[in-house]
Amino acid sequence: MRELVKGANVALSDLSENASSVVVSLGWVSPTGEGDADVSVLLVDANGKVRSDADFYFYNNPVAGDGSVQLLGKTPTEDGSEDRIGFDLTAVPLEVDRVVVAASRYAEAHFGELEDVTVTLADAAGDDLLRFAVDDPGPVSAIIFGELYRRGDDWKFRAVGQGYATGLAGLATDFGVDIEDDAAAQEAEPVEEAEDALTGADAGNGGVSRGGGPVEAPAPAAEPVPRGTLNAVPAPRDPDTAEGPRPRAARPRTAKKKITLPKSAKKSLADNDSWREARLFPVSALKSDRDRETRATSVLLSVMAQVPEFGRRLTAAFGAPAGRMETFTEVSLPHGDTPRRPDGVIRVERAGKRWTALVETKTNGNSLRSEQVQAYMDIAARRGYEAVITLSNDVALEGSPLVQVKVDGRRKHKVALRHLSWAEVAHQAQMLLRHEGVGNAAHAWLLQELLHYLQHENSGCHGFQNMGPAWVPVRNGIDGETLCQGDARALEVVESWERLIRQVCLGLGGELGQKVLPVQRTSRGADPEARRSRSADRLCLEGRLQAELRIEGTPGVMGVVADLRTGRLRTSVEIPAPAQGYPLTWVKRLVRRLSEAPADLHVETLVDSGTGGPRGTLERLRPEPGDLLPKDSAQKITGFRLSLFKSMGSSRGNAETGFIRSVDDAVHRFHRTVVVHLDGPSSRRGPEKDAAVAG
């Protein structure tokens, strides 16, 4: 991989033969575990300006209509996460001279608070080609990491590293984007009715908003609009054909908006509750694992082909170009004396070039077999295919492949091995359907049917559901104090715990429409295997499994602790004390904000001495908030810890009372009943607002 310095450039054709489609990844590490940023892309002409506002791609406008640009979202790494952008360079319009890649932070946050600010670029096979580290970015709220630019028929990359103190709006304005004033736009924009977004009842727009997603039901006039909630960038308007003045073109808005489906239930025409609505993908006839694998593959691949937004989202991360997608099942491919039959094939055609991936699917608790995946890798390499995609209920871990395969280094053509979990498939469908919007009502209905199928108890696509054979022996060893450090079974449990937490993040993120990521502290090391080994040793000594979740727009990080000795789960969050005011005012305000939280919520005052401060349940503190103040007035309050406790399930996870279900329920309950009542990060409270860590 080529290391670049600021100002350096390199031709992509010198680094790879598969550089027509590339994935650019922007990464950073937050010492507090809370720092984050958002990526953006600008397509500019030879004059250094965008052709129109539609050439500005960011969180409110994430995908180019021609498939040349797609913001792929965040992927967890050993230190936190990285943001990825897919580029199909063959689809970039000829008038575009440069593609500018940037990122920005919120409010008064700046990049100087982050570490290891880097950009990497990978080719269509997934091989990293180059890397550029932005050294000491300083107190800037936006940075241009680099740019892709044309030189004849080739594309080159230049390492830029230029900072902007004026944030995303200032950066976009410099390139000619006309940014709309967010507050004024909210007051002026009418709110549309959305009583039946999925059935297309609104004949004027097909049941979707002008921004391409389902429109929200109007809020009561007296309800204040949440800070930072703005409409998405509208789709480009058709040319005017009617007489009269041309309406003013909508301008991009840099504030984020969450678009949700209408919450009102559709009235049913059924005579009674026993009637079941007809479904496009029935599951009642599934009798065996083979039936489930065949049906699940066919259902998923057919929806990917018919809903381009969804198919592109799943394949772009694997280096696939934007183009015409076709999907196939039960294909036969020669391999030695016996033909092989992968579960499916995905083929994308763009500008006469084809990208092909073989698909191997597993459902229920069935595991991927190394020899089977190896055979598909060999077939793909011989036939010039680009990828092999495995799909199962298991969740891939950083630095730990699900299956081990051998790669013949003598072959010039390289094949990428990628994995998807069924939980990730459901997450992406939820994000499109319930929060970001899809192209039309028919696409929304197909995604709704896909989600219903995946979530049905008989589909076999329920995600990670079993803690593995080591779970019961490890619990018994901890209970009997016979589990020793170095026991391989403890490491297996730690790996299963990490898979569970990643799946919980996907489920909660899909439900909220927000980024939910597991936090990996830099202090715990960069090597994921070494980090898991240390966690296994702690499990043997302390009998506890621990994790932290970062939820976009919420204060602090959510801590999750499973104490195997006591059989209890603890979910918690630490919130810092306000920068100004009086302690008694702080605790009264906190108790008021938690007026609808569970009565058994534990509240603990954190003090600078490090010793435990006053604590109590919310039920006891409501009439006497002052009980949270330290008896010693010399102790300074640094924050508050809020915790809920519940019993763990004891089974491996297949029953209603299983451990996996209890963890998922605990996280969702804590967010729904506690976290939603807390203020999100705000610059008004000073930098210590973003310094909280979970207990």
Side-chain angles (χ1 to χ4, degrees):
M1 181 169 60
R2 182 79 61 89
E3 292 281 349
L4 299 184
V5 297
K6 187 172 182 178
N9 62 79
V10 63
L12 301 187
S13 58
D14 293 343
L15 304 178
S16 172
E17 297 179 351
N18 299 315
S20 58
S21 293
V22 297
V23 174
V24 173
S25 301
L26 307 184
W28 39 78
V29 174
S30 171
T32 66
E34 291 222 313
D36 203 358
D38 287 298
V39 302
S40 54
V41 174
L42 298 106
L43 306 184
V44 300
D45 57 20
N47 297 320
K49 302 293 183 181
V50 296
R51 299 169 300 165
S52 71
D53 292 343
D55 282 341
F56 177 35
Y57 300 98
F58 62 119
Y59 39 73
N60 282 344
N61 184 34
V63 180
D66 57 11
S68 59
V69 181
Q70 181 173 10
L71 307 191
L72 303 175
K74 295 189 183 297
T75 298
T77 66
E78 62 270 16
D79 295 321
S81 65
E82 66 178 13
D83 236 314
R84 298 175 300 167
I85 315 164
F87 293 101
D88 183 356
L89 299 179
T90 63
V92 177
L94 293 176
E95 314 89 74
V96 174
D97 185 65
R98 287 185 293 146
V99 178
V100 178
V101 180
S104 56
R105 300 205 65 193
Y106 310 114
E108 296 182 0
H110 56 80
F111 279 91
E113 301 166 341
L114 303 178
E115 300 174 355
D116 296 338
V117 180
T118 59
V119 55
T120 58
L121 184 145
D123 63 10
D127 294 330
D128 289 335
L129 305 182
L130 60 86
R131 179 179 182 274
F132 166 52
V134 182
D135 297 326
D136 191 20
V140 296
S141 53
I143 291 180
I144 296 178
F145 281 74
E147 58 185 22
L148 294 157
Y149 63 99
R150 298 182 190 270
R151 278 298 178 265
D153 295 332
D154 294 333
W155 282 92
K156 303 184 74 174
F157 180 86
R158 178 183 291 116
V160 179
Q162 177 184 347
Y164 280 75
T166 50
L168 178 60
L171 184 151
T173 302
D174 274 6
F175 285 95
V177 180
D178 187 12
I179 299 296
E180 182 163 342
D181 178 77
D182 293 328
Q186 273 201 314
E187 294 175 1
E189 181 168 357
V191 181
E192 299 184 12
E193 290 286 344
E195 295 180 353
D196 201 357
L198 292 180
T199 58
D202 185 349
N205 60 19
V208 295
S209 72
R210 288 188 298 271
V215 290
E216 289 190 72
E223 183 178 345
V225 179
R227 192 167 55 250
T229 303
L230 264 292
N231 288 335
V233 175
R237 297 177 182 270
D238 294 329
D240 288 333
T241 55
E243 296 181 0
R246 184 186 183 96
R248 180 178 64 84
R251 292 177 287 169
R253 304 174 192 167
T254 57
K256 293 185 176 182
K257 177 190 177 184
K258 184 179 76 173
I259 304 172
T260 59
L261 287 174
K263 295 182 179 179
S264 57
K266 187 170 59 177
K267 184 177 180 181
S268 175
L269 301 179
D271 285 354
N272 56 63
D273 294 339
S274 66
W275 289 19
R276 293 291 177 261
E277 187 177 357
R279 291 292 178 183
L280 180 64
F281 308 121
V283 292
S284 57
L286 300 177
K287 303 299 182 183
S288 67
D289 285 341
R290 183 58 186 165
D291 290 342
R292 291 182 180 89
E293 289 179 9
T294 303
R295 179 70 62 84
T297 305
S298 182
V299 167
L300 174 62
L301 295 186
S302 63
V303 174
M304 288 174 62
Q306 295 303 317
V307 184
E309 309 96 312
F310 179 62
R312 176 65 180 153
R313 170 161 293 203
L314 291 182
T315 58
F318 302 151
R324 183 172 65 94
M325 179 181 292
E326 290 186 346
T327 54
F328 309 87
T329 60
E330 295 298 314
V331 299
S332 178
L333 297 171
H335 182 67
D337 298 333
T338 305
R340 293 282 182 163
R341 296 180 179 274
D343 292 313
V345 173
I346 302 172
R347 176 160 281 178
V348 182
E349 185 178 41
R350 177 79 183 186
K353 297 181 180 179
R354 287 180 179 175
W355 179 91
T356 305
L358 304 182
V359 180
E360 174 60 19
T361 304
K362 297 295 180 184
T363 55
N364 282 338
N366 297 318
S367 301
L368 296 161
R369 292 187 288 124
S370 296
E371 64 275 10
Q372 192 175 34
V373 177
Q374 181 71 65
Y376 295 149
M377 291 287 289
D378 295 340
I379 292 173
R382 287 200 307 270
R383 300 180 71 88
Y385 296 163
E386 283 70 25
V388 172
I389 300 173
T390 57
L391 181 61
S392 72
N393 282 320
D394 211 342
V395 179
L397 300 180
E398 184 75 22
S400 179
L402 286 177
V403 290
Q404 297 290 341
V405 296
K406 296 180 180 179
V407 178
D408 190 345
R410 295 171 297 178
R411 285 197 173 117
K412 187 176 181 180
H413 181 77
K414 296 182 179 180
V415 179
L417 177 60
R418 308 290 190 176
H419 179 73
L420 271 175
S421 70
W422 285 112
E424 188 173 355
V425 173
H427 167 81
Q428 298 293 0
Q430 283 181 309
M431 292 297 292
L432 277 173
L433 177 62
R434 299 175 181 174
H435 306 289
E436 299 173 11
V438 290
N440 55 48
H443 291 175
W445 178 70
L446 283 172
L447 283 178
Q448 185 107 315
E449 290 296 297
L450 172 65
L451 272 176
H452 180 270
Y453 178 87
L454 296 179
Q455 294 168 353
H456 194 281
E457 60 183 9
N458 199 31
S459 69
C461 305
H462 309 118
F464 179 72
Q465 284 194 311
N466 197 307
M467 290 294 287
W471 174 242
V472 173
V474 167
R475 288 195 65 168
N476 291 339
I478 291 174
D479 186 55
E481 299 186 4
T482 59
L483 188 66
C484 301
Q485 288 190 41
D487 193 320
R489 295 173 299 181
L491 182 59
E492 291 180 32
V493 168
V494 167
E495 291 177 344
S496 295
W497 170 254
E498 187 173 334
R499 290 186 171 95
L500 170 58
I501 292 301
R502 290 181 181 272
Q503 179 166 288
V504 168
C505 288
L506 289 171
L508 185 59
E511 183 178 302
L512 301 177
Q514 296 171 324
K515 299 167 188 171
V516 182
L517 296 169
V519 177
Q520 300 294 353
R521 304 291 185 182
T522 308
S523 59
R524 296 172 186 165
D527 182 10
E529 293 186 2
R531 187 178 66 242
R532 294 182 194 114
S533 179
R534 288 191 294 271
S535 297
D537 289 341
R538 288 198 303 269
L539 173 62
C540 296
L541 291 174
E542 303 171 4
R544 292 187 297 177
L545 294 166
Q546 304 179 55
E548 292 175 315
L549 282 59
R550 181 171 61 248
I551 305 173
E552 179 187 29
T554 61
V557 294
M558 184 191 299
V560 185
V561 178
D563 193 326
L564 276 61
R565 287 176 175 162
T566 62
R568 291 208 304 173
L569 282 169
R570 172 180 177 170
T571 45
S572 62
V573 65
E574 287 185 11
I575 55 176
Q580 298 176 345
Y582 298 98
L584 182 58
T585 304
W586 301 343
V587 296
K588 287 183 177 180
R589 184 183 298 121
L590 176 63
V591 172
R592 283 199 304 270
R593 292 211 317 259
L594 297 171
S595 59
E596 298 182 13
D600 60 344
L601 176 68
H602 285 242
V603 183
E604 178 184 357
T605 302
L606 305 177
V607 294
D608 56 356
S609 63
T611 59
R615 67 185 70 188
T617 62
L618 194 58
E619 182 178 27
R620 183 176 69 81
L621 293 171
R622 277 170 176 157
E624 295 293 341
D627 288 349
L628 280 175
L629 298 178
K631 302 301 181 184
D632 184 356
S633 59
Q635 290 182 319
K636 179 182 178 182
I637 297 177
T638 60
F640 303 92
R641 180 187 290 122
L642 313 178
S643 306
L644 276 180
F645 297 87
K646 68 166 291 183
S647 297
M648 297 187 320
S650 58
S651 74
R652 293 185 181 180
N654 294 327
E656 289 291 326
T657 58
F659 174 73
I660 290 177
R661 183 177 295 276
S662 64
V663 173
D664 191 64
D665 290 345
V667 169
H668 280 74
R669 177 180 179 242
F670 188 74
H671 181 273
R672 182 179 65 253
T673 62
V674 178
V675 176
V676 295
H677 301 301
L678 305 176
D679 292 336
S682 171
S683 60
R684 296 182 305 152
R685 298 182 180 270
E688 58 266 47
K689 184 71 178 178
D690 287 324
V693 295

